[in-house]
Amino acid sequence: IFYNISGNYETQNITVVNKILKLFGIDSADGHIEDMVRVGQDVRYSIDDTKLRALGWKPVAEFDKELEDIVQYYKENFIW
């Protein structure tokens, strides 16, 4: 059995890219973000997690906090 998992968080991909750049200390206004990212390719992804929620599951994590933790992990552990 497979279940889709959603966090009830919806935003544009470019917004997520800008958040990641900011967490890395890069101001997206300083460069040409469009040169680095294929802007506009993905319009929307939607996940229906009705079956999982029917079992009592609910999200407990917050997107921005999790993103911050992930970026911090890679800053500390990835060999550039």
Side-chain angles (χ1 to χ4, degrees):
I1 298 177
F2 296 96
Y3 296 98
N4 290 320
I5 301 173
S6 170
N8 282 345
Y9 181 81
E10 187 174 322
T11 191
Q12 295 178 331
N13 291 345
I14 193 66
T15 301
V16 176
V17 170
N18 283 321
K19 288 179 182 207
I20 293 169
L21 290 173
K22 183 176 180 181
L23 289 168
F24 273 104
I26 300 168
D27 184 359
S28 60
D30 288 344
H32 298 283
I33 186 80
E34 291 81 9
D35 294 340
M36 297 184 285
V37 180
R38 293 184 345 172
V39 177
Q41 297 298 315
D42 299 319
V43 178
R44 182 175 185 264
Y45 297 101
S46 179
I47 296 175
D48 180 3
D49 62 0
T50 304
K51 290 180 182 178
L52 186 59
R53 287 178 188 268
L55 297 174
W57 181 87
K58 61 182 177 180
V60 295
E62 183 180 318
F63 182 84
D64 287 336
K65 175 63 177 134
E66 294 299 313
L67 185 63
E68 183 180 324
D69 290 347
I70 290 167
V71 169
Q72 189 60 39
Y73 171 84
Y74 279 100
K75 286 169 86 172
E76 294 173 356
N77 295 288
F78 190 77
I79 298 172
W80 299 96

